[in-house]
Amino acid sequence: MDVIPQPPSSWDINPADFPRRGTGTDRLRFLIRYALLAPSTRNTQPWRFRVTTDCVELHLDLSRWQRIADADQREMFISLGCALENLLIAATHFGYRTAADYLSGVDDDTPVVRVRFEAGGVTGTAPDARFEVITRRRTNHGVYDGTAVPREELARLSESCIEPGLELHWITDDVGRAKLDALVMRADAVLLSDADYRHELGEIIGTGAFGTPWVIATLGRFAVSHLMPASRFSKADHKALMSSPAIGVICAPASTRQGQVRVGQVLERLYLAATLRGLALQPVSQVLQLDETREGLSALLPGRSGVPLQPFRLGHAAPPRTHTPRRSLDDVLR
Ligand SMILES: Cc1cc2nc3c(=O)[nH]c(=O)nc-3n(C[C@H](O)[C@H](O)[C@H](O)COP(=O)(O)O)c2cc1C
């Protein structure tokens, strides 16, 4: 995968620059700048956009697929859902009515989602505070401060889970968190004993995708691919997980492509709602990358009726100082 360029302007979008007098295509391109700021697995940004005057199609970019870590492409489709959600929130902010069709795209050429835009369709609605934080959201990979997130706060966050058929479950008790921690440790040990898994992770670190300077990224690529003992990763993951007072798990009726995209939409809504409340969030995906630990996670959620598709941890922490880089708009337009 190519080294990701770091245009300083990616996160610096001024809504006043929305090209109201431009063409329909210009306006939709402007909205896509918000979609690009979505989180994605390993910051791969596995998306491309095709724009016409009243329609945006979201396509996969299979050249960015993490074939070892994300063998079933679940995380890639969830990432697309995150980008879709930003696009829809931005569209509503600028007064569009939208209709999203979930299609069957499984290759680069077939769209995964087609969104139709009707200008001037939404009037008189209260401004959506989530729009304001799209440019402030970021994943917090650090250790959290351990203070509890009150039940009422979790209940408010659960209101983000409005996609049909999806459920959000919380694990907040010490026993449940310790069991999840054991699953994460197991997943780390198995996955990191695979040289191909390490190589793939080392390669993406080496592109600078996580926002590290070139020298650190290059050293990181080498260390992850060849040197670092698995126990270093597990220790860091253990510390991070046990510092998190709440673990959320988004479940869907089945692991279908449409379900995965909708899980991504909910994940992004949760990220934005957490940002608004000053909470830190980080997806914890490795437990779903291994059959054995995926089953273990399902067993931890006795009340669920669907399958777990995205776990994440939540808590309080100082926000990271920098944003991760993004591909440029030109790079992702088809
Ligand atoms: C589907 C999905 C899975 C992810 N899984 C993990 C994960 O297992 N561990 C992690 O630290 N971050 C995970 N992330 C967060 C990404 O690393 C992060 O979004 C990306 O590096 C971009 O950074 P940002 O979210 O700060 O913009 C995941 C994100 C998505 C959308």
Side-chain angles (χ1 to χ4, degrees):
M1 198 183 302
D2 295 340
V3 171
I4 297 176
Q6 303 196 23
S9 57
S10 293
W11 291 90
D12 196 10
I13 310 177
N14 183 353
D17 291 339
F18 180 64
R20 290 193 186 278
R21 291 170 198 279
T23 64
T25 312
D26 289 342
R27 289 194 288 267
L28 296 188
R29 283 194 179 139
F30 187 84
L31 300 186
I32 292 172
R33 291 179 58 194
Y34 289 95
L36 303 189
L37 303 183
S40 60
T41 178
R42 294 179 173 174
N43 202 18
T44 47
Q45 307 165 57
W47 43 61
R48 281 195 187 277
F49 300 84
R50 194 170 152 264
V51 187
T52 62
T53 47
D54 61 353
C55 185
V56 173
E57 286 178 357
L58 274 79
H59 291 250
L60 294 173
D61 180 348
L62 282 174
S63 70
R64 312 187 81 82
W65 175 24
Q66 297 287 286
R67 288 166 187 271
I68 313 284
D70 187 26
D72 63 0
Q73 300 185 331
R74 179 187 57 82
E75 294 176 37
M76 196 166 55
F77 279 88
I78 293 178
S79 302
L80 241 70
C82 295
L84 170 64
E85 191 58 23
N86 276 6
L87 182 67
L88 297 178
I89 292 172
T92 306
H93 176 86
F94 289 104
Y96 286 96
R97 192 183 296 277
T98 54
D101 290 327
Y102 297 79
L103 306 162
S104 56
V106 287
D107 54 34
D108 289 352
D109 293 328
T110 326
V112 176
V113 183
R114 180 179 295 122
V115 185
R116 290 180 197 287
F117 295 77
E118 195 188 321
V122 181
T123 50
T125 50
D128 185 343
R130 290 172 305 180
F131 172 78
E132 307 298 336
V133 292
I134 290 178
T135 51
R136 279 181 25 217
R137 181 215 59 82
R138 56 196 92 178
T139 303
N140 195 322
H141 304 267
V143 173
Y144 301 169
D145 73 9
T147 52
V149 180
R151 238 173 231 281
E152 312 78 65
E153 193 98 34
L154 295 180
R156 297 295 302 277
L157 286 168
S158 295
E159 289 166 11
S160 300
C161 192
I162 55 169
E163 290 298 312
L166 301 198
E167 298 165 358
L168 174 58
H169 295 271
W170 294 106
I171 302 172
T172 53
D173 62 301
D174 290 348
V175 175
R177 288 184 313 129
K179 284 185 179 167
L180 180 67
D181 180 48
L183 293 173
V184 169
M185 296 302 93
R186 172 73 185 149
D188 279 353
V190 175
L191 295 170
L192 291 160
S193 65
D194 177 347
D196 292 336
Y197 183 94
R198 272 175 176 264
H199 178 74
E200 187 181 63
L201 180 57
E203 286 299 302
I204 190 83
I205 289 172
T207 64
F210 295 105
T212 41
W214 177 82
V215 179
I216 309 272
T218 306
L219 288 173
R221 179 203 310 247
F222 188 72
V224 169
S225 304
H226 304 288
L227 293 175
M228 210 129 107
S231 58
R232 275 277 291 279
F233 290 93
S234 333
K235 264 191 197 146
D237 286 345
H238 167 73
K239 225 171 143 187
L241 197 90
M242 294 316 286
S243 73
S244 317
I247 310 297
V249 185
I250 311 169
C251 298
S255 193
T256 60
R257 295 310 188 202
Q258 190 185 127
Q260 291 159 358
V261 173
R262 288 185 188 275
V263 166
Q265 292 185 251
V266 169
L267 176 65
E268 177 61 350
R269 251 181 253 148
L270 284 161
Y271 258 116
L272 297 174
T275 307
L276 276 168
R277 291 176 162 71
L279 291 164
L281 187 153
Q282 181 203 353
V284 180
S285 302
Q286 64 270 57
V287 270
L288 293 182
Q289 292 170 357
L290 207 63
D291 290 347
E292 159 195 351
T293 49
R294 188 182 324 120
E295 282 160 22
L297 177 61
S298 300
L300 279 186
L301 307 169
R304 85 194 145 78
S305 58
V307 289
L309 287 191
Q310 188 60 60
F312 61 91
R313 64 190 184 96
L314 183 84
H316 299 95
R321 274 198 289 267
T322 53
H323 279 296
T324 50
R326 287 300 183 271
R327 301 163 78 189
S328 68
L329 180 61
D330 285 344
D331 202 24
V332 299
L333 291 178
R334 283 173 61 95

